[in-house]
Amino acid sequence: MSDNSEDQKQSRETGGLSRRHVLGTSALAGVVGAGLAGGLVSVPSAQAASSSGPAPKDFVPPGQLDEYYGIWSGGQSGELRILGIPSMRELVRIPVFNTDFTIGWGITNESKRVLGANFPAGGDLHHPHMSMTHGRYDGRYIFVNDKACTRVARIRCDIMRTDKIINIPNTQSIHGLRVQREPRTGYVFCCGEFRVPHPNDGRDLNDPSKYFTVFTAIDGDTMKVAWQVLVDGNLDNTDADYDGKYVAATCYNSEGGVNLAGFMRDERDWVVIFDIKAIEAAVRKGQYKKIPGSDVPVVDGRHGSKLTMYVPVPKNPHGCNASPDGKYIVASGKLSPTVTVMSWKKIGEYFAGKLKNPRDIVVAEPEMGLGPLHTAFDGRGNAYTTLFIDSQIVKWNVEDAIKAYNGQKVNYIRQKLDVAYQPGHNHASMGETRDADGKWLISLNKFSKDRFLPVGPLHPDNDQLIDISGDQMKIVADGPVYCEPHDCNLIHRRVLMDKVKRVWSRNDPFFAETVALAKKHGVKLETDNKVIRQGKKVFVYMTSAAPTYGLEQFTVKKGDEVTITITNVDTIQDLTHGFCLANYGINMEISPQQTSSVTFIADKPGVHWFYCTFFCHALHLEMRSRMLVEA
Ligand code: K7E
Ligand code: CUA
Ligand code: CA
């Protein structure tokens, strides 16, 4: 349905606005200008760039800060990444389900307490979402899912560290994850994607009639499962309303299939909608079961239940996105060229018994193009849907789509923009909140093909920055990223900047257990440098202050269980020390005012230097001491 000349016009526009091109032009102009003025030819400064024509919209001059935090899924890396937007510069990586040698995630005792003792090797992180209060980001937490190992984690925004990870029972593979918007988060909703028997202990292997999955609500404050809902079919993506009443999820396997043909058999699947208040009431009244092996209330939300409704929608829907005006929930069709627009108000009427047919809540089903996956919103009544197969983003108007559904002759499509290539999620700045500001859109493209220098058969993804502030979408920049970010949030810096700590506070709960153990040992972490032996257990306490550790050496015996606890007594921000123990595979970060600890068996006798791994001082290389292990 895209008009050819329109497409050509757009590709002309996007071609003319590539980042390389614009930067190249202004750099050249800067050089020419300097030459004409008789000055030295130098690297063009920010001023030179802006005085020689308009700076590209994503240009953030040296020393200036980005306007948005980009909270990026790290995909198969299991980590979360934070970018500055619009510059697309990566600021930090936050290990979540993965191990990380830079900060010692998976190595330090503090991280192991979060990960659990026998944590799996990695995770597949798809969906990061910040906690909200009254439909607005509140800067407390970011919640993320692990599709690989059926887990959900919470990241504390003040220190940007993972502080809780939990396993979700009675399902396999958590995919969709969203937060309760009203009154606050509150619940973290997550979708169990794979159906398996429960208990999954080998007794019912190849009897799919015994397979099922559940929808889960986690209490975001305690990180305990509050309740689960047994559903028909499976669950893919989810999103909640702005009133705290309902939450919806797409299902692509209504068939209960166990292979591709099975997942695709029927022409329709469904969106399942959960009545939060009714579920809470059922749990209060004890109308639930517990599934052997877990201790969480599971209510029955299968067909016929009053707690849920099943809305038939075209084949294998995927993305599930609530509009920031609080009115609609949009399911993207994937194998159907349509998206289905549903009204939260009508959902309320259905649950109140005023509407009989679940399809009565559908207010529009506009055609988009091939492979609609996810939809974003600009807060001005427009929606932006990715088309995976067409490699496009469609801008469309929601109210016009509703008019067209009601038989009026209106064109709801505003623009189709080619992206490079095969987009999955997109995300608009503040677009999943009441503060949707319609400035930037990110298209998270799965394929980059020829857009970057070749780096081997594994290509980076290509995340494109799109200016949506005007009538027409305009691509401003390409951003290569290590695959595979599925999703991101664009969060205005006003939400976070003042909440993020620059230096640890000494009473941070992140290392409180370590501090409590030191207290039991009678150790004052900020001043004491000593070794305490309890049988075969040895506790080594020391400070770090650039450029020395508090101990020049300590001695243990082969086979001892050694716990090294280091407190960085430096107070200057950015003055991080490290602790790397040679030939023991141990490294950890100790940032200003932080206490970090690690426990290991001293199984290799001899001299082992430990050294600082963060360049903290002119004498940083000299910041090293010895562990002597007696044979
Ligand atoms: Cu569409 Cu995991 Cu959000 Cu990937 S999911 S794209
Ligand atoms: Cu301390 Cu380098
Ligand atoms: Ca299906």
Side-chain angles (χ1 to χ4, degrees):
M1 47 195 304
S2 73
D3 158 331
N4 234 348
S5 65
E6 180 66 8
D7 277 357
Q8 276 167 14
K9 187 170 143 251
Q10 277 149 23
S11 70
R12 271 204 310 278
E13 282 172 10
T14 57
L17 271 167
S18 86
R19 184 188 208 191
R20 234 172 305 161
H21 184 84
V22 176
L23 276 177
T25 315
S26 45
L28 190 64
V31 168
V32 170
L36 284 176
L40 291 170
V41 175
S42 61
V43 178
S45 69
Q47 271 153 340
S50 56
S51 65
S52 62
K57 280 198 98 170
D58 63 322
F59 182 61
V60 179
Q64 300 292 300
L65 305 178
D66 276 293
E67 192 177 355
Y68 295 86
Y69 285 89
I71 311 293
W72 244 250
S73 145
Q76 308 93 322
S77 71
E79 69 196 8
L80 190 73
R81 301 170 191 159
I82 302 189
L83 277 60
I85 302 296
S87 76
M88 308 275 279
R89 296 183 288 222
E90 186 182 285
L91 303 173
V92 79
R93 297 178 171 199
I94 304 168
V96 185
F97 304 112
N98 55 316
T99 56
D100 177 273
F101 207 64
T102 303
I103 69 165
W105 196 251
I107 295 171
T108 64
N109 295 329
E110 294 70 38
S111 65
K112 283 180 173 172
R113 281 178 206 128
V114 176
L115 281 158
N118 300 308
F119 54 88
D124 183 16
L125 191 157
H126 284 217
H127 301 117
H129 289 284
M130 183 181 276
S131 56
M132 296 193 205
T133 299
H134 300 314
R136 301 191 145 92
Y137 290 133
D138 60 20
R140 289 181 295 131
Y141 298 115
I142 296 162
F143 298 92
V144 297
N145 74 300
D146 174 15
K147 180 164 168 171
C149 299
T150 320
R151 295 180 290 181
V152 170
R154 182 175 81 180
I155 291 107
R156 264 177 60 191
C157 292
D158 58 342
I159 52 169
M160 290 297 179
R161 278 295 142 92
T162 310
D163 85 325
K164 289 268 189 227
I165 300 180
I166 61 167
N167 291 288
I168 309 300
N170 306 323
T171 184
Q172 195 168 82
S173 202
I174 293 298
H175 187 226
L177 177 146
R178 289 297 182 118
V179 301
Q180 183 180 5
R181 291 187 170 90
E182 181 66 36
R184 69 191 280 281
T185 313
Y187 292 132
V188 179
F189 299 112
C190 34
C191 293
E193 184 177 352
F194 301 161
R195 294 155 51 91
V196 290
H198 301 280
N200 191 17
D201 57 3
R203 72 182 79 173
D204 296 310
L205 285 178
N206 211 1
D207 180 1
S209 73
K210 295 231 167 76
Y211 294 7
F212 65 85
T213 187
V214 293
F215 184 76
T216 301
I218 298 164
D219 178 332
D221 292 316
T222 61
M223 284 301 275
K224 299 232 160 67
V225 173
W227 40 259
Q228 295 187 315
V229 186
L230 175 61
V231 293
D232 284 319
N234 80 335
L235 298 161
D236 190 11
N237 278 296
T238 179
D239 203 0
D241 66 1
Y242 279 74
D243 300 311
K245 292 181 179 162
Y246 308 109
V247 52
T250 48
C251 158
Y252 66 77
N253 187 20
S254 61
E255 301 91 341
V258 289
N259 55 23
L260 186 61
F263 306 144
M264 312 246 298
R265 193 190 65 221
D266 294 346
E267 281 313 307
R268 299 220 142 199
D269 287 289
W270 55 60
V271 170
V272 49
I273 295 160
F274 302 87
D275 183 334
I276 298 170
K277 302 283 174 235
I279 293 165
E280 286 174 335
V283 171
R284 265 197 312 274
K285 285 187 232 148
Q287 294 160 351
Y288 60 80
K289 284 202 183 111
K290 286 193 176 170
I291 292 168
S294 76
D295 195 35
V296 300
V298 182
V299 299
D300 191 342
R302 291 175 295 184
H303 277 82
S305 162
K306 290 209 163 15
L307 311 176
T308 55
M309 66 181 293
Y310 289 79
V311 187
V313 296
K315 210 172 174 104
N316 292 38
H318 184 60
C320 195
N321 300 87
S323 61
D325 59 7
K327 291 187 186 165
Y328 308 112
I329 175 80
V330 172
S332 302
K334 193 166 77 183
L335 296 189
S336 157
T338 55
V339 300
T340 304
V341 184
M342 294 155 282
S343 149
W344 293 117
K345 186 164 160 258
K346 291 192 176 220
I347 288 166
E349 290 167 13
Y350 178 89
F351 278 111
K354 291 187 202 139
L355 298 173
K356 286 284 163 277
N357 184 340
R359 282 288 298 181
D360 291 345
I361 69 155
V362 174
V363 295
E365 208 152 61
E367 271 200 40
M368 293 290 143
L370 295 182
L373 286 188
H374 293 280
T375 300
F377 301 93
D378 64 8
R380 300 190 298 270
N382 301 306
Y384 302 78
T385 299
T386 54
L387 300 179
F388 181 81
I389 298 169
D390 284 344
S391 280
Q392 287 184 321
I393 290 193
V394 190
K395 177 180 177 181
W396 54 284
N397 185 275
V398 180
E399 294 304 330
D400 281 355
I402 293 170
K403 286 182 193 149
Y405 191 72
N406 291 330
Q408 291 186 43
K409 281 227 167 325
V410 228
N411 184 8
Y412 46 82
I413 302 280
R414 293 291 185 268
Q415 186 193 1
K416 289 191 168 189
L417 176 73
D418 291 334
V419 293
Y421 309 87
Q422 266 72 41
H425 276 270
N426 59 0
H427 198 92
S429 46
M430 305 297 278
E432 60 175 21
T433 73
R434 289 190 186 281
D435 299 317
D437 63 15
K439 283 173 104 171
W440 295 109
L441 181 76
I442 295 278
S443 177
L444 297 136
N445 306 308
K446 307 294 187 185
F447 291 18
S448 63
K449 299 191 193 210
D450 50 5
R451 306 286 286 198
F452 308 109
L453 285 175
V455 287
L458 177 62
H459 296 231
D461 280 23
N462 184 20
D463 294 347
Q464 289 183 302
L465 179 71
I466 299 165
D467 177 2
I468 55 166
S469 60
D471 281 347
Q472 297 285 298
M473 298 180 272
K474 285 178 180 156
I475 293 182
V476 173
D478 277 18
V481 272
Y482 191 47
C483 40
E484 171 176 330
H486 283 256
D487 199 2
C488 67
N489 294 174
L490 302 186
I491 298 177
H492 197 275
R493 66 187 188 191
R494 69 171 179 265
V495 173
L496 269 177
M497 258 180 83
D498 296 337
K499 290 209 166 76
V500 177
K501 291 186 177 161
R502 274 72 160 175
V503 172
W504 286 86
S505 86
R506 285 298 302 141
N507 55 11
D508 196 289
F510 187 75
F511 46 76
E513 269 191 59
T514 308
V515 172
L517 182 67
K519 210 169 172 191
K520 247 173 58 191
H521 288 155
V523 169
K524 249 201 122 237
L525 285 168
E526 294 79 4
T527 49
D528 288 358
N529 290 286
K530 59 164 95 166
V531 178
I532 296 166
R533 177 175 281 280
Q534 292 177 348
K536 284 191 76 71
K537 290 190 178 185
V538 180
F539 299 90
V540 180
Y541 287 99
M542 66 180 114
T543 56
S544 68
T548 55
Y549 295 109
L551 291 173
E552 287 181 353
Q553 65 177 71
F554 65 88
T555 306
V556 297
K557 294 190 179 66
K558 186 184 173 206
D560 281 345
E561 184 197 282
V562 182
T563 298
I564 295 177
T565 303
I566 302 182
T567 299
N568 182 349
V569 297
D570 281 314
T571 54
I572 301 167
Q573 63 169 308
D574 220 343
L575 212 168
T576 296
H577 298 292
F579 169 87
C580 182
L581 183 58
N583 298 346
Y584 267 87
I586 288 169
N587 185 52
M588 62 185 185
E589 157 237 14
I590 319 121
S591 281
Q593 297 295 300
Q594 186 178 11
T595 295
S596 301
S597 70
V598 62
T599 300
F600 60 96
I601 305 292
D603 52 4
K604 290 181 263 299
V607 175
H608 293 270
W609 286 95
F610 54 90
Y611 69 98
C612 179
T613 44
F614 287 82
F615 215 114
C616 57
H617 191 275
L619 292 170
H620 154 77
L621 277 168
E622 287 80 353
M623 185 167 170
R624 58 189 174 103
S625 298
R626 286 171 301 157
M627 173 175 80
L628 310 176
V629 183
E630 295 173 350

